[in-house]
Amino acid sequence: MRRRSSGSAEEDEIADTAVTDPGTPDLNHDEKRRSFTSAKYDLSRHSDTLDRRKVDKPIASAHFLHNASTVLGLRHNAPEQVLVASQPDGIKMLEVRGRRQTRLQSPWSCSLLTLSVTALSLVLLFSVIHSFLTRQVDSKGCDMCYTREIIYFEFADFDTEHTRFATKYSLHLIREEGFDEDPKVKGAPVLFIPGNAGSYKQARCLASEAAQFYASSIQQDPKALKDGLTSLDFFAVDFNEDYTAFHGQTLRDQAEYLNDAVAYILSLYHDPRRSLRDSKLPDPSSVILVGHSMGGVVARTMLTMSNYQSNSINTIVTMSAPHARPPVSVDADIVRIYKETNNYWRQAYLQTWANDNPLWHVTLISIAGGGLDTVIPSDYASLSSLVPSTHGFTVFTSSIPNMWTGCDHIQTTWCAQLMKATVRSISETLNVHRPGQTKPRAERMRIFKKWFLTGMETVAEKSLPQKEPTTLLTLEDNSNSVISTGQRLVLRGFGKTGKPKAYLLPVPPQALPSTRKFNLLSNKPIDDVGSFGQLEVLLCSVFPLQAGQSATLFSMDLDLSDGTSGSTRLACKNTASDVILLPASTRSSVHAYDKRQPFSYLEYHLDDLVEHQYVAVVDKAMETGHGWVIAEFSDNSDSVIQTTMGLWRLLAFGMRTKLPSNRPLVTDVHIPALHSSLLAFELKLGKQACGDSAELFTPLLRQYLQTPHESRYFVNVKEANVSLHGLAPFMPPPLRAQAVDNGVSLQFWSDPTCHSSIDVSLKVDIAGSMGKLVMRYRMIFAAFPLLVVALVLRKQFQLYDETGIFVTFSESMRLCLKSSLPLLILALTVFALSLAVSSSAPSNPPSASWFHWRGNATESAIDFTKNDLLLGSQDPIFWFLVPLFGLVSVGLCVVINYMALGITWILCITYDLFTTRPTWAKHDDGRRSTVPGFAASSPRRRIITTSVLLFLVFTFIPYQFAYLDACIVLLATCTRALRLARETRSGAHNNFYNYVHSILILMFCVLPINLPVLVVWAHNLAVHWLTPFSSHHNVLSIMPFILLVETLTCGKMIPRVTSTARYITNLLFLFLAVYAAAYGITYAYLLHHLVNIVSAWLVAIHFSVSDLSLSGLTQILEGEEASGDVKKRP
């Protein structure tokens, strides 16, 4: 490597380093060094430092300025005027009086191209945000929970003898005044885990609902108590509102503490002094976990920790928990823990034999809030890549019966409808006669499906096959209430005959296609056995009662024969346990969650009715009353409309279909092409042409997905916003191949008695779809701007190494917009297309996996990281997102540039207002006088300061704190450089200011990645937790930044690289740009380390012209210059 000769006039003009004083002896002839830079440097005199003893006096020629302007594509508006001035030392200098646009161009200047691109990008960004806030927004229907006075009993004896985190965290038992105020345990243990910055007091609604439900229901039901149901002892952990989502070590600490807490909680039930449980019952051996947000991830992590007690956890219910991916990837530990935890769960459930699966007994339920959750993308709550459907599922709150509304992130901790469903489902899974305190896994899953699913999912289980006939129905032989096969039953009103009456619908023979199903809908509740309502539905088989045979085999004898001798007896099963509740849809209905009596709906496939001959609809009303019932058998060919159009056609032309006038009660419109969570549609339904008096109900719409279980209801539907959480960016593939098509389906309930067709139209909502990008691509703002800044810096260094002119950030942005940025965006777009096409192909097994399952390992052929690259899109139709985000990022970088300019100018002006203008800045004779540069600290002070800071990083503070400190120091340096450039109008000083300003923007772009961990550290200090992080103390992660900033504070302009080594700078910035786009969203924390490597290279360039030696370092520490002169303090 060599440095360019500085003997030519052109070299003297473009040299950016300081020129030595006239009196300084020329040592270049005998101490010329071979270097890859072109800067003149003398260690003994610090000649490259912009201090007050050395002034940059560049000598220029008009011919060279014209050539340099041609290189940069700039023009001079007027001929150059050169003045030869006589200096006191006799050296003649050339001073350019005209404006030199290339060298001294204002950093505030903005080309028409940059302005146009910025305006367009800001308009797009505003449109996306406006759409997110105003369009396709779900309404909120949660009721606030109300409690009495809540009592929190803290366990002071859960101290450092039990856990090393006793001084930071605490454990509480929650009781409600008026129901249970005893601090002794007596029921089944449930532990609530708060989420990121969450409070243990968020468990109060769950604890209150549990206490009230036990007092009003379970305690009054002897059968329930006999079956093993009991009260719930709600425990909660006070994490001091730790920021779990930002810091992996904090998450791991919480998991370790919780395992210790579980062991302590179980020990309470062994102590007679602290337990009121029946001594005949087995002591609990497991604890039920309820986790909110990141608390759900901590709950899953507990089972992977070394201090986890086997089988101490068998049921986990999570709310708004990001299971599939970390919500932010700014910390290496959080990404690593997610990977380890998810791999543990996946490998466990991929085992061939149950004995090899340590999680075989665990059930995991994930509840997602839907579109209202603007903290965690609800797509991340999916369990499809983690557990099979036999052990867990994901459900959205809009699917839960009697809830039918979305929840925002915090509402999932206090929504009254959700609290009722959660407490009742957990209570029903209890069995205190078992050590695990719960029923077997399969039975637990059936109970959770009953409480959380609609009952119409393919995985939903009917309770009818497990039941025995309980009702003996006796009818007259000459009864004319048998409905003809294929005929629909329609009842308008109840009790018209003044006595109970049964209507029998014959079950079609199995010889007919088995795709037929039975549907019944009523606006009245369907009675259970022994109830005294108006409507009861039975599935019956002929039961001839022989002479002498007792009818006491049945718990209910329903005799409608009026005592006649000739009668038909039917053995029947009651269907009340299989009733599906639907939101009422009438002319006055507005929202699905309105407080109205819900519709009762029954749905059976013909295979479910194979043992029965009749469906009996019994009108039990003794007096005339309002109400209606519709019951029928229908075929799938009539009730299912399968669309075959592709997504491109759907987006271009929309979809139009018609529900025929002779339609069945329920019609399904299946759209396989509509599966993306990034798209929103508008649905319009034609008017149901039916008279007001004859109409039984208005159209009811259910929009649903089979996986995850998301259903959204629209009552009295005329228009509806269709959006879903289906195929989402960055989501890993399912754990096991799914046979069902995951496209969206639209299920319509409409009044078939109207005999009128209904038009259905569906078209894309482009403006509404833009808002869907916000939650899925929030991390794009941490990655893509760095791509743009890296390319801008690459162009700046490229021109600087070629011409000696470090152009402004704005000028470099203009040049990049003409060349490198469009080319790179185009290449990334093609790359994104290829990734989307290949994502649908079968995954190949990884060649070498770092994770190895102990025991009978089963190699998985699924690549769960295949969607981590770039924008993670699995559909080629979204190719435009790369240029879209690239365009928005350009606008953001321009805004950041001008914000940095504004801050530095404000600081500079403020500094000028409070300081006296130095004498060297005054114009005594109309000519610019000698201008001093930076007054740097002594080398010894800088070395000591840097060493102390690095020592603190190594021992106590995280390197993110040092990074913030470096940003602040660099901002001050940039302000000083601006002040110097304004006063001197010197080309070298403008070069230095442009260089420092661009490095400041680069570090500002990385700052958001470091701030979250810094917030965690500051929070730990606030709660007096002074234990250092086990991570984030790597000195090498911050040293290059500190050295670079320290070098810049001395006013050192980076030397030019003229050899082939300049391509290293080019490649480093190019690699940084490509990596920021490809992996910046998934692994954002690595962007800091890549910029750190770039900083190390810039430091190496700075030091490449330094004569560093042990003696020189000793002299610096002694406070002496290399020449023996003592350096004066500024």
Side-chain angles (χ1 to χ4, degrees), residues 627-906:
W628 50 264
V629 179
I630 302 176
E632 66 180 13
F633 283 93
S634 61
D635 196 283
N636 278 356
S637 59
D638 300 325
S639 60
V640 177
I641 300 176
Q642 188 81 19
T643 62
T644 58
M645 63 172 54
L647 185 58
W648 286 98
R649 185 180 174 188
L650 181 63
L651 294 177
F653 305 104
M655 183 202 73
R656 293 183 180 274
T657 189
K658 180 176 291 187
L659 305 183
S661 58
N662 60 342
R663 64 187 177 274
L665 171 65
V666 185
T667 306
D668 269 21
V669 180
H670 187 46
I671 314 173
L674 182 50
H675 52 251
S676 175
S677 62
L678 296 178
L679 294 175
F681 287 79
E682 293 179 338
L683 181 139
K684 293 185 178 180
L685 202 66
K687 181 176 176 58
Q688 182 174 268
C690 194
D692 292 343
S693 59
E695 185 179 50
L696 297 179
F697 65 97
T698 56
L700 170 66
L701 169 62
R702 171 187 172 230
Q703 169 213 314
Y704 69 93
L705 288 171
Q706 289 292 354
T707 305
H709 302 302
E710 179 184 23
S711 295
R712 301 174 64 210
Y713 292 93
F714 302 90
V715 296
N716 191 21
V717 60
K718 301 179 181 67
E719 297 180 351
N721 292 326
V722 177
S723 60
L724 56 143
H725 293 83
L727 199 63
F730 305 109
M731 290 296 293
L735 185 67
R736 294 173 182 171
Q738 300 174 356
V740 297
D741 196 333
N742 207 30
V744 74
S745 294
L746 305 176
Q747 189 172 21
F748 295 91
W749 286 266
S750 57
D751 189 351
T753 63
C754 290
H755 301 292
S756 63
S757 60
I758 300 178
D759 294 325
V760 180
S761 65
L762 185 72
K763 66 176 182 179
V764 64
D765 181 6
I766 298 178
S769 299
M770 295 177 67
K772 304 302 177 184
L773 300 175
V774 175
M775 290 303 298
R776 279 81 181 186
Y777 289 110
R778 291 180 300 180
M779 288 299 296
I780 204 75
F781 299 108
F784 264 54
L786 197 58
L787 176 151
V788 178
V789 173
L791 289 182
V792 170
L793 274 162
R794 172 178 170 269
K795 176 62 69 174
Q796 286 179 302
F797 275 96
Q798 184 180 3
L799 293 177
Y800 176 62
D801 290 336
E802 293 176 358
T803 67
I805 302 172
F806 205 96
V807 298
T808 63
F809 189 90
S810 301
E811 176 64 16
S812 182
M813 177 69 78
R814 182 187 70 85
L815 297 175
C816 288
L817 288 175
K818 288 186 174 182
S819 56
S820 56
L821 260 173
L823 289 177
L824 183 57
I825 294 298
L826 177 61
L828 291 174
T829 303
V830 175
F831 184 42
L833 271 172
S834 64
L835 287 175
V837 172
S838 63
S839 65
S840 58
S843 302
N844 295 323
S847 57
S849 176
W850 62 270
F851 186 91
H852 300 282
W853 186 258
R854 292 180 243 178
N856 182 21
T858 301
E859 184 70 18
S860 172
I862 304 175
D863 181 12
F864 293 102
T865 63
K866 70 175 186 177
N867 297 323
D868 288 349
L869 270 173
L870 208 57
L871 298 183
S873 176
Q874 306 170 46
D875 201 321
I877 200 171
F878 297 110
W879 63 268
F880 64 90
L881 290 180
V882 175
L884 173 66
F885 289 130
L887 183 63
V888 171
S889 298
V890 169
L892 289 177
C893 289
V894 173
V895 171
I896 293 173
N897 173 44
Y898 284 106
M899 287 180 61
L901 284 173
I903 294 173
T904 53
W905 276 74
I906 291 174

Side-chain angles (χ1 to χ4, degrees), residues 239-545:
F239 283 138
N240 286 310
E241 301 181 3
D242 263 349
Y243 294 96
T244 326
F246 301 152
H247 195 233
Q249 186 58 45
T250 299
L251 191 153
R252 200 186 299 273
D253 292 345
Q254 289 187 2
E256 179 183 341
Y257 176 83
L258 286 169
N259 278 327
D260 296 334
V262 167
Y264 176 81
I265 290 172
L266 294 177
S267 69
L268 296 176
Y269 293 85
H270 295 245
D271 188 353
R273 299 169 301 176
R274 313 189 72 169
S275 174
L276 295 178
R277 282 173 61 94
D278 189 347
S279 59
K280 298 179 181 179
L281 296 176
D283 293 326
S285 62
S286 68
V287 176
I288 299 172
L289 301 183
V290 178
H292 174 250
S293 187
M294 289 300 294
V297 181
V298 176
R300 287 197 305 114
T301 307
M302 292 170 61
L303 281 72
T304 69
M305 300 293 291
S306 59
N307 66 333
Y308 167 67
Q309 294 183 8
S310 180
N311 298 327
S312 61
I313 298 170
N314 63 19
T315 303
I316 303 175
V317 179
T318 66
M319 304 169 179
S320 301
H323 292 291
R325 284 176 56 85
V328 290
S329 56
V330 297
D331 178 56
D333 283 345
I334 199 76
V335 175
R336 187 181 305 112
I337 290 174
Y338 258 88
K339 186 175 183 179
E340 293 173 356
T341 302
N342 287 352
N343 280 341
Y344 181 92
W345 281 69
R346 288 164 182 159
Q347 293 296 333
Y349 288 116
L350 288 174
Q351 298 301 303
T352 304
W353 305 104
N355 291 336
D356 299 324
N357 182 2
L359 304 178
W360 182 255
H361 63 290
V362 177
T363 55
L364 175 61
I365 309 301
S366 176
I367 303 173
L372 289 176
D373 192 343
T374 56
V375 177
I376 298 294
S378 289
D379 307 286
Y380 292 2
S382 174
L383 299 176
S384 61
S385 65
L386 297 171
V387 299
S389 59
T390 55
H391 290 73
F393 59 84
T394 303
V395 63
F396 285 72
T397 58
S398 57
S399 304
I400 299 176
N402 276 326
M403 185 169 181
W404 300 316
T405 180
C407 288
D408 64 32
H409 197 68
I410 302 300
Q411 279 180 340
T412 52
T413 63
W414 57 256
C415 182
Q417 299 98 312
L418 181 58
M419 298 301 101
K420 292 179 184 295
T422 303
V423 167
R424 282 158 175 74
S425 63
I426 293 177
S427 296
E428 195 170 333
T429 61
L430 296 179
N431 187 352
V432 294
H433 303 298
R434 294 165 52 92
Q437 300 297 290
T438 58
K439 295 179 173 67
R441 176 192 55 80
E443 194 169 352
R444 273 181 279 141
M445 285 298 299
R446 182 185 60 79
I447 293 171
F448 283 127
K449 289 176 183 178
K450 183 187 75 171
W451 282 100
F452 289 125
L453 301 186
T454 64
M456 293 175 280
E457 294 83 359
T458 55
V459 299
E461 302 177 13
K462 301 294 184 181
S463 62
L464 194 69
Q466 289 78 31
K467 285 188 173 183
E468 295 294 331
T470 57
T471 302
L472 179 63
L473 179 62
T474 305
L475 303 173
E476 296 180 7
D477 283 342
N478 58 352
S479 173
N480 58 0
S481 59
V482 179
I483 308 300
S484 302
T485 301
Q487 184 179 351
R488 178 184 296 124
L489 170 66
V490 178
L491 295 181
R492 297 176 180 268
F494 292 95
K496 292 182 178 181
T497 61
K499 62 179 182 178
K501 184 176 182 179
Y503 301 86
L504 301 183
L505 282 78
V507 176
Q510 294 298 316
L512 295 177
S514 60
T515 55
R516 303 194 73 180
K517 61 182 180 180
F518 170 76
N519 303 105
L520 180 145
L521 184 67
S522 176
N523 64 341
K524 295 295 182 179
I526 296 178
D527 287 354
D528 202 347
V529 177
S531 299
F532 301 97
Q534 294 179 321
L535 178 64
E536 188 170 352
V537 180
L538 306 171
L539 298 181
C540 303
S541 302
V542 176
F543 184 77
L545 188 62

Side-chain angles (χ1 to χ4, degrees), residues 41-189:
Y41 187 83
D42 184 356
L43 180 63
S44 63
R45 301 300 299 167
H46 298 277
S47 60
D48 63 336
T49 304
L50 302 177
D51 57 20
R52 296 192 178 186
R53 295 168 298 160
K54 303 165 184 67
V55 183
D56 185 15
K57 303 173 182 177
I59 305 175
S61 65
H63 174 70
F64 172 73
L65 290 175
H66 173 74
N67 292 341
S69 300
T70 304
V71 171
L72 297 179
L74 300 176
R75 297 179 180 177
H76 292 285
N77 297 329
E80 304 277 352
Q81 295 185 3
V82 181
L83 174 65
V84 179
S86 176
Q87 300 296 331
D89 55 5
I91 301 177
K92 296 182 179 180
M93 302 292 292
L94 296 176
E95 182 177 353
V96 181
R97 286 187 175 179
R99 176 175 294 275
R100 298 180 294 182
Q101 294 184 3
T102 300
R103 187 98 181 223
L104 300 178
Q105 188 177 18
S106 170
W108 292 94
S109 63
C110 184
S111 66
L112 181 61
L113 175 62
T114 305
L115 184 62
S116 303
V117 171
T118 303
L120 179 59
S121 66
L122 294 181
V123 169
L124 288 174
L125 181 60
F126 174 79
S127 301
V128 169
I129 297 176
H130 182 266
S131 172
F132 173 69
L133 296 176
T134 61
R135 297 187 65 90
Q136 294 275 344
V137 178
D138 298 336
S139 56
K140 296 183 179 181
C142 274
D143 297 332
M144 173 66 74
C145 74
Y146 294 96
T147 67
R148 299 184 183 183
E149 184 70 23
I150 299 297
I151 306 172
Y152 301 92
F153 296 101
E154 181 177 353
F155 294 95
D157 57 338
F158 184 46
D159 51 19
T160 53
E161 294 183 1
H162 298 85
T163 177
R164 64 191 181 101
F165 298 100
T167 59
K168 184 180 182 182
Y169 304 141
S170 58
L171 180 66
H172 300 261
L173 175 65
I174 304 178
R175 299 297 193 192
E176 184 173 14
E177 190 177 84
F179 290 99
D180 189 358
E181 303 178 15
D182 197 332
K184 294 183 179 181
V185 295
K186 56 179 69 67

